[in-house]
Amino acid sequence: MRRVYVIGSALTKVGRHFNKGYKELASEVIDKAINESGLESVDLVIVANMLSDSILDQLDISTILMQNLGMTKVKALHIETGESSGLAALEVAWTAIKSETAEKVLIVGVEKATEYPTYKINKVYSKVLDYETESIRNITPPDYAALIMKAYLRKYGLKREDIAEWPVKMHENASRNPYAQLNFKVNHEKVLNSMIISDPIRLLDTFPIGDGAAAIVLASSKETGSSKAEPVELVHTSSAVSVQVHLRDDLTKLPATAAVVSDLRMKFNEKMINEAAIELHDSYSIYAYLLIEELGLAARGEAPKIINELEFINVSGGLKARGHPFGATGVYQVAELHKLMTSGLAGRRFDGKYAIAHSMSGPDYNARIALLQRVI
Amino acid sequence: MRHSIPKFWRKREGYYQILLTRCKTCGRIAYFTYIKCPYCGSGDVELVRSSGRGVVEEYTISYYRIEGAEEYLPRIIALIKLSEGVKVTGELVDVDPSEVSEGMEVEAVLRILSSDDPHGLIYYGLKFTPIIKGS
Ligand SMILES: [Zn+2]
């Protein structure tokens, strides 16, 4: 079967880009990624975006973007699966190349989340939950993160301060990443005294609202682009859906993530996850701890003890500090891992063989995973 | 105008009382009026009315501001285990946040969920309130 290679990637700093719209942000990363790939053109463009309808008053964003960038000879489509839209776009692109319906695919993740005050963004972001059973009754994503965090603390007899290390580590990583939204450092005290969002979730347990764009070029041939010397192959993509929070027997488990991790374990060797560089979806710090346990990097309830032993985890600073431009985040993760494996990211370079991007929407309502492999 | 009459009206039964979906295939019961069993996908389901009473399993006091519900801060969002053994998430009202605890007995009450601009539509739905002993 055909292979799929990452031959170019580009990203812009996540933040408040008041002077740029989504077209400007997308255009910049498209030019850079295409330039790095060495390609003249692509067959297919996939745009990952979550809030174009709610925030930009724009439907069919992929068509409008192509019209504005003089790319009307290219097939284009828009993918939205909530917060994991970026990895969903990658999944579709991977399938298109594997099935020989495309050879060169450009994936663009773009989000403009700072066009309105935060309370309006909070409202539309909460639509990743089920409107008819959850959002209509004013239940929001941080509320679920809080319930899950309390269940975790209770189950393993931990205190709130036992899980304050993650944001500290993420801000430390982000302070070296030029593409990160928050590049200041924090300590335990700051985390534990920051504003309450949904108790015990505090401001520094969660992501900042920001705009961003990232792009990736995938191709069936590695004989071109930035990866020519060190080709990186996209060897696997997968996704799963889970039941709503109130239907779960154990709140400390993330069923969709468990399914994609189990799939990964079956197809590749068990040890691979332990040796990989990982970008995971830490929209709330409690999720980082649960994800580390779902990935098998720590036993249940033990993640707080090993946070600082994990070297190549969210080198970007994660959603926590790099930022979370919703639909673009998955594309950021893959672009960051591609850089980390080739030219370097945040002053670091990863020489290992595998890199994993993990993304999810809401409290693990869907989870997606992508596996990159160095080809030597 | 964000509120829609038909969108709400067709679900009114499930918004004004706690209806559970009981699956005749896998035997599990789930909160809300699902078309098919959310656990196994079976269409062989029936709706059962809940007593509306239960106990708080977990709760959070939320200051997260969302458009249209700004005046209801802080919100107390709880995961409640109904007497039928089924869990439901919902808002707790008529109680001071400092008085909420796990294990607290609560029952469903009808309240305003949100309203459009001052002269617009109002959505009503179920929230939960502590059961006062002896009442
Ligand atoms: Zn069933």
Side-chain angles (χ1 to χ4, degrees), chain A residues 162-177:
Chain A
D162 295 333
I163 53 174
E165 182 63 17
W166 183 261
V168 176
K169 186 180 170 86
M170 290 302 102
H171 279 257
E172 174 73 38
N173 286 355
S175 71
R176 292 189 292 264
N177 177 7

Side-chain angles (χ1 to χ4, degrees), chain B:
Chain B
M1 199 208 62
R2 293 170 293 114
H3 287 184
S4 146
I5 294 174
K7 197 158 77 174
F8 197 86
W9 178 83
R10 83 175 65 91
K11 290 276 174 189
R12 66 198 178 287
E13 287 207 313
Y15 288 140
Y16 295 155
Q17 57 188 325
I18 298 192
L19 290 179
L20 311 173
T21 305
R22 195 179 76 82
C23 176
K24 295 180 194 169
T25 304
C26 75
R28 295 202 71 169
I29 310 176
Y31 163 68
F32 209 62
T33 57
Y34 294 102
I35 300 159
K36 293 192 174 181
C37 172
Y39 291 108
C40 77
S42 165
D44 194 9
V45 294
E46 62 177 0
L47 294 181
V48 196
R49 199 175 158 179
S50 160
S51 68
R53 293 191 164 211
V55 293
V56 172
E57 265 202 2
E58 297 289 353
Y59 71 94
T60 176
I61 296 161
S62 182
Y63 296 86
Y64 193 67
R65 283 187 72 208
I66 46 171
E67 186 180 27
E70 296 96 327
E71 65 261 53
Y72 308 114
L73 282 181
R75 290 185 308 273
I76 309 169
I77 302 293
L79 183 67
I80 293 150
K81 192 165 196 172
L82 296 170
S83 56
E84 292 83 7
V86 179
K87 286 186 279 190
V88 51
T89 33
E91 200 173 337
L92 294 189
V93 291
D94 304 336
V95 59
D96 191 85
S98 65
E99 287 167 4
V100 182
S101 61
E102 288 85 6
M104 177 183 249
E105 291 181 52
V106 294
E107 65 184 346
V109 286
L110 199 63
R111 286 288 190 276
I112 291 176
L113 294 179
S114 59
S115 49
D116 258 348
D117 59 73
H119 308 291
L121 290 169
I122 296 172
Y123 282 171
Y124 286 89
L126 297 175
K127 297 187 180 182
F128 291 85
T129 182
I131 295 173
I132 301 154
K133 296 282 178 200
S135 68

Side-chain angles (χ1 to χ4, degrees), chain A residues 170-202:
Chain A
M170 290 302 102
H171 279 257
E172 174 73 38
N173 286 355
S175 71
R176 292 189 292 264
N177 177 7
Y179 305 113
Q181 181 168 5
L182 305 180
N183 33 37
F184 56 90
K185 295 182 188 181
V186 300
N187 55 29
H188 282 189
E189 209 188 347
K190 269 195 171 157
V191 172
L192 295 169
N193 291 317
S194 60
M195 195 172 77
I196 296 174
I197 303 292
S198 292
D199 185 52
I201 300 283
R202 288 174 180 263

